Amino acid sequence: MAVVNSLSGINIKSSQNRLLIKNGQVVNFDGIEEADVYIEDGIIKQVGRNLIIPGGTRTIDATRKLVMPGGIDPHTHFELEMMGAKTADDFYKGTRAAVAGGTTTVIDFVLPNKGQSLIEAYNNWREKADNKVCCDYGLHVGVTWWSPSVKKEMQQLVAEHGVNSFKVFMAYKDTWMLDDYELCQVFETCAELKALPQVHAENGHIIARNTEKLLAAGVTTPEGHELSRDEEVEAEAVNRACVIANQMNAPLYIVHMMSKSAVDALRNARLRQRRAIIGETLAATVGTDGMHYTNACFRHAAAHVLSPPLRPDPDTPEAIIKALAEDDLQLIGSDNCTFTEKDKEKGKDDFTKIPNGVNGVEDRMAILWQKAVNTGMMDPCRFVAVTSATAARVFNLWPAKGCVAVGSDADVVVWDPQLERTISAAAHHHATDFNIFEGTRVVGSPQYVIVNGRVCLDDGELRVAEGLGKFLPTPANCPYLYDGKPPLSPQGSPRYASESPQNSPARVTNGNTPTELHLVNKQLDGLSVSGCSTPTGRKMREPGQRNLQNSTFSISKEVEGLDTKTSVRVRNPPGGKSSGLW
Ligand code: URP
Ligand code: ZN
Ligand code: ZN
């Protein structure tokens, strides 16, 4: 594996700033087209066929491949100190793992200690990240305490520091949790600033009381983690957060939604809410489940501990994928928050001391492809919507990020739907030796990943550059949340059919009917779920239809749609050695 560790190690000749991706199928959230993509100086300059290209341009042949926007992971924790430990993935290793998996933008969380200046914490995060990131990144800021000075700093962060989203916690009782009155004030301030409040939705008081009872009864193992905070504890907080946001006339983004009950609460709220509500789920939720908490091996069980927890209900992953496919959930992040085995051992005799967090930034895209697209539950356009386009739109990065279009940043993934591998800690790029998706076979992975015009995964060879990424200011007053007008294409005019006025999320006032209010939420990402099918026009699986996950059906062949001979390209490990066709 070739890794260039500093910018000084890169020698970019002018022709290397030019790249042509030929013969691929370009997938955006609203459609698929056969087109070549020409990139120069980090920007997509042309998309189409028969392009006129300067001599000496490097060409990547994307025949039978999908050319998609680089993934945007809206939820990471690199170099975070929490629960007496520090996450293993720093901004270098974390973004390197992201790029290896096809993600080219991450949004991390600044989490100040109670009483700490938000600006000071923000500056600390910038110092940790700026010289290490291998791809572009943005920052959300946690509001972990409340005072008039916090309100002032929120204003400053929006006006001067490129922050448009603030996370509050309804759990973590003695560290980050706010009470409902404080939530009202944060949400109200966000509405004033035209920023987006984000919420960790779990009832911290119930968790605290249940935990006392479990420990008193002698339950100390990781199983106690889920027992102390079951689905109802999550769903109650989701509903309460939605009510508070509605009362304060603020939009809302609910992070890491982990259960069917929570999604039910969200669905109901989206029917009645004045403003947009966005629900995020995680790769962990679709790729594994809470049965691991009963594993007799502490190391194994503790490695799966995160909050809210994975759910033991075996129907959860499929229900969450269905919700993502049908726009009851809007996007998927990773909540990448990796801790070493040694740190997880802090909770050997008391589950409440296990640092909360799992991996996911590297495998998020492949896991979702395998579980959702290969099973026929989601088409490639919706895959793009939930892995990049919707995050770009919600955090006001569109159309620079989240689409393959003229004028957009050249963050592009050439996705090989036939690339087969088995996820393993032995091959991943995280700074930990455990992977919650260990042993999962995936068919479909990135072959090339282009970050700001630079080929950083080159036919399976990872060639990231530390410090190559830059901080992305996220402006407030996002049209998708506040104006009711969809963002424009890079050319300055609506590019997509779905951006016609009747498909735009209209501004909603108190006088609107419930149906109109529902439409705001349904149309948030501007795409009807049936707006796109596979390149061969295959219809998506209807509810109740056969689950193709365990059958011989392969989306790879569907996408290829060209010949019927079995041709599976095997690469294992990702970013490592590459074998030929067989
Ligand atoms: O368990 C988790 N989710 N760890 C990271 C902190 C958070 O609440 O997102
Ligand atoms: Zn959280
Ligand atoms: Zn998190």
Side-chain angles (χ1 to χ4, degrees), residues 84-219:
K86 191 185 209 178
T87 57
D89 288 323
D90 65 7
F91 277 91
Y92 170 60
K93 289 191 178 146
T95 53
R96 184 182 63 161
V99 171
T103 288
T104 54
T105 299
V106 300
I107 314 184
D108 204 85
F109 287 84
V110 175
L111 292 179
N113 300 321
K114 264 201 199 305
Q116 188 187 13
S117 148
L118 273 57
I119 307 266
E120 178 188 86
Y122 166 92
N123 286 333
N124 292 346
W125 247 260
R126 291 291 306 270
E127 260 168 51
K128 288 193 272 190
D130 279 355
N131 296 323
K132 286 195 188 153
V133 283
C134 305
C135 64
D136 292 349
Y137 81 104
L139 290 172
H140 317 287
V141 174
V143 180
T144 52
W145 61 292
W146 185 250
S147 82
S149 73
V150 170
K151 182 173 172 127
K152 207 161 158 243
E153 290 204 318
M154 287 174 69
Q155 287 161 349
Q156 266 176 278
L157 284 163
V158 168
E160 298 159 29
H161 296 281
V163 172
N164 71 7
S165 43
F166 294 92
K167 178 178 176 183
V168 293
F169 292 84
M170 299 168 86
Y172 296 105
K173 191 165 178 297
D174 295 317
T175 50
W176 294 329
M177 187 171 113
L178 299 188
D179 67 26
D180 288 357
Y181 187 66
E182 291 167 328
L183 293 184
C184 288
Q185 293 176 88
V186 176
F187 288 7
E188 205 172 58
T189 303
C190 284
E192 277 165 34
L193 298 174
K194 298 207 183 323
L196 177 61
Q198 298 178 286
V199 66
H200 175 130
E202 285 184 293
N203 186 317
H205 291 295
I206 296 178
I207 294 165
R209 189 69 197 118
N210 285 346
T211 299
E212 285 162 7
K213 289 184 194 166
L214 283 160
L215 291 175
V219 179

Side-chain angles (χ1 to χ4, degrees), residues 289-334:
D289 63 56
M291 291 308 288
H292 292 280
Y293 295 134
T294 53
N295 193 298
C297 169
F298 172 81
R299 173 180 184 262
H300 183 100
H304 290 81
V305 167
L306 80 160
S307 296
L310 297 162
R311 300 302 176 186
D313 177 346
D315 296 337
T316 306
E318 185 166 340
I320 294 288
I321 293 165
K322 187 166 177 285
L324 264 179
E326 294 178 357
D327 201 31
D328 283 335
L329 285 166
Q330 285 62 53
L331 39 72
I332 183 166
S334 69

Side-chain angles (χ1 to χ4, degrees), residues 442-520:
V442 291
V443 182
S445 275
Q447 183 186 8
Y448 296 91
V449 178
I450 293 124
V451 182
N452 283 314
R454 186 173 185 278
V455 183
C456 287
L457 183 75
D458 195 339
D459 199 11
E461 287 288 318
L462 193 58
R463 297 200 173 111
V464 295
E466 188 170 4
L468 183 84
K470 60 183 182 308
F471 174 70
L472 292 172
T474 49
N477 201 6
C478 177
Y480 249 73
L481 302 173
Y482 284 101
D483 263 12
K485 288 198 207 97
L488 298 178
S489 73
Q491 294 91 336
S493 60
R495 173 175 181 268
Y496 301 105
S498 57
E499 290 179 355
S500 62
Q502 69 271 26
N503 278 339
S504 304
R507 188 183 194 93
V508 175
T509 61
N510 286 337
N512 286 96
T513 65
T515 313
E516 287 167 318
L517 301 179
H518 182 49
L519 277 176
V520 174

